[in-house]
Amino acid sequence: MDLDLLTNPFYQRALATAGFIGFANGFFSGFVVLRRDALSVSALSHTMLPGIALAIFLTGALSQWNAFLGAMFAALLVGLGSVAVARGNRVSQGTALAVLYTAAFAAGIALLPKLDTRQELEHWLFGDIIAVGNADIWIAFGIGAFTLLITNLLMRPILLTLFEPNVAAAQGVPVRFIQYLIFGLLVLALVSSLQAVGCVLSVGLLVTPAATVSLLTDRTSALFWGGGLIGGIGSVVAVLISGKFGIAPGPAIVIVLGLLFVAAYLFSPKYGLLAPKRH
């Protein structure tokens, strides 16, 4: 590692942003793992691309703000739309999400040939955290702080809704509002990771940290704080070593987190593949 690189303001901002985004998304990954909802996250992450394409089509330009707003609009529309459709009890939420997500993605693909900025979209597909600007930092920190604040304030009703929705309703918890809130916060967490890992890889940052912790402990609280630590530290380490191996920081973040998950799967004292078997 070139120590002079660490004094570069762009690199310092990239490290700070990676650490905060990694912690915020790693913390929220606990809810994703508890919901067993990784496939929904994957669908929503791909939904952000047509949202960005629509924003470019409407404004005629690609900027940080219209990319973020377009991605957020598309993901919220599809995510909350699937929750609303599932309320009819005729179509499951997974089925509704699959229909809406593929329709939105198809619309985005149809728009791509009409855009003049197709080459620049790679920046949003796979992330470019080294080029993070002040606007990106404020968006990422604002979304991350809001997500952390709301989830910690409403941790008990959220967990009760996830595990026992009928009991939650009996205790006066607004179950429907909480379900919409969880999906809304999920979308915000995905959008906050755009600059770090892009649309395609954002699912890794929002699933892997807590999945790794789940192999190491049975404590529910550890999924959140442990996931946050793994997400934050793993993201910073990935940015530090990405230059050495000549790979982009976005893929490096997901690779490092994936390696940590594999290590936990192999060597976890209780659940690891190579752990001594207890009889």
Side-chain angles (χ1 to χ4, degrees), residues 40-172:
S40 296
V41 176
S42 179
L44 289 175
S45 70
H46 286 75
T47 303
M48 293 191 290
L49 175 61
I52 296 173
L54 178 62
I56 298 171
F57 180 76
L58 293 176
T59 63
L62 174 59
S63 67
Q64 282 92 346
W65 281 107
N66 65 14
F68 275 110
L69 293 175
M72 186 183 302
F73 171 77
L76 282 172
L77 184 66
V78 171
L80 298 181
S82 68
V83 176
V85 171
R87 287 295 170 193
N89 295 323
R90 180 64 177 175
V91 178
S92 69
Q93 184 178 341
T95 300
L97 182 60
V99 172
L100 296 176
Y101 139 66
T102 51
F105 198 74
I109 294 174
L111 278 177
L112 287 180
K114 302 181 181 298
L115 305 179
D116 297 326
T117 55
R118 280 179 290 172
Q119 296 300 322
E120 299 177 46
L121 278 176
E122 183 178 346
H123 172 85
W124 298 99
L125 286 174
F126 306 108
D128 187 11
I129 200 166
I130 298 299
V132 65
N134 290 331
D136 303 312
I137 292 176
W138 283 113
I139 291 173
F141 275 60
I143 292 176
F146 177 77
T147 302
L148 289 172
L149 177 64
I150 295 300
T151 50
N152 278 283
L153 287 176
L154 300 178
M155 180 67 75
R156 185 181 180 279
I158 290 176
L159 291 179
L160 193 58
T161 299
L162 290 179
F163 288 114
E164 297 289 348
N166 292 330
V167 174
Q171 293 186 5

Side-chain angles (χ1 to χ4, degrees), residues 184-275:
L185 293 175
L186 171 61
V187 170
L188 288 176
L190 280 172
V191 173
S192 74
S193 66
L194 270 177
Q195 190 67 46
V197 293
C199 299
V200 176
L201 301 176
S202 57
V203 61
L205 192 56
L206 201 52
V207 175
T208 312
T212 302
V213 176
S214 71
L215 294 170
L216 303 174
T217 180
D218 294 326
R219 293 178 55 203
T220 300
S221 61
L223 289 179
F224 305 106
W225 296 107
L229 289 175
I230 288 177
I233 295 173
S235 297
V236 170
V237 170
V239 174
L240 288 172
I241 67 176
S242 61
K244 181 177 178 62
F245 291 97
I247 58 177
I253 290 173
V254 180
I255 291 171
V256 168
L257 294 178
L259 290 175
L260 291 174
F261 175 80
V262 172
Y265 173 72
L266 292 176
F267 303 111
S268 169
K270 186 172 183 180
Y271 299 109
L273 186 66
L274 303 180

